[in-house]
Amino acid sequence: MAAIHDEDPFGFEDYFPSMIKTLGVERFMEELCHGFFLLMDVRVGLITFERLKRNAMLMGLHELRDDELVCMLAEGDLDGDGALNQMEFCTLMFRLSPGLFMDGSKPDRVPIISQSDFSLVSGGTN
């Protein structure tokens, strides 16, 4: 069963630990990459504000304001370009998964996944 973070007032269910256990690490990384490809703007290979806004609408998240979408991008934007590349997206997903940390706490610094980690699951592009 998925872990529910005790301190989350919204009852967020973190499925990542059970997905990793079921799929294995490599297959799980492939699924994360698929998620990135679904959200990215194919013209630039990044998750942009415009694309995130469009996808939020398609997923029924009409109530999300522009400033909330900008904050979502800023949370994972490590290179300051205002968009998320594949590595930033996957790093953000790991950082936002409380169930991946045994004691429920997040470390001060989360290791950044290297480019080579993605070459196996994305055909060498990021």
Side-chain angles (χ1 to χ4, degrees):
M1 180 165 178
I4 297 177
H5 195 268
D6 295 330
E7 298 174 17
D8 185 356
F10 303 108
F12 171 74
E13 292 188 42
D14 184 1
Y15 291 100
F16 280 10
S18 62
M19 288 176 69
I20 291 171
K21 185 176 180 180
T22 302
L23 300 173
V25 174
E26 187 172 332
R27 180 81 170 104
F28 176 75
M29 289 301 296
E30 289 175 7
E31 291 302 318
L32 267 185
C33 291
H34 285 53
F36 172 79
F37 292 127
L38 288 172
L39 296 172
M40 79 173 190
D41 181 334
V42 295
R43 293 172 293 142
V44 294
L46 300 170
I47 298 174
T48 61
F49 169 77
E50 294 79 15
R51 185 68 181 180
L52 184 59
K53 184 173 183 168
R54 179 177 179 268
N55 283 316
M57 297 291 279
L58 292 173
M59 292 186 287
L61 302 172
H62 305 281
E63 69 279 356
L64 285 175
R65 300 183 319 262
D66 286 358
D67 63 318
E68 292 172 314
L69 295 171
V70 168
C71 285
M72 290 169 72
L73 287 172
E75 180 74 23
D77 183 15
L78 301 174
D79 61 11
D81 66 356
L84 300 180
N85 63 36
Q86 185 178 8
M87 189 167 56
E88 290 170 327
F89 172 78
C90 291
T91 300
L92 178 62
M93 293 297 99
F94 275 94
R95 285 182 40 221
L96 295 177
S97 177
L100 292 178
F101 303 103
M102 297 300 279
D103 62 359
S105 64
K106 294 182 183 178
D108 291 333
R109 294 186 53 174
V110 176
I112 297 175
I113 302 165
S114 72
Q115 288 294 119
S116 62
D117 294 332
F118 295 106
S119 63
L120 296 173
V121 293
S122 65
T125 63
N126 83 345

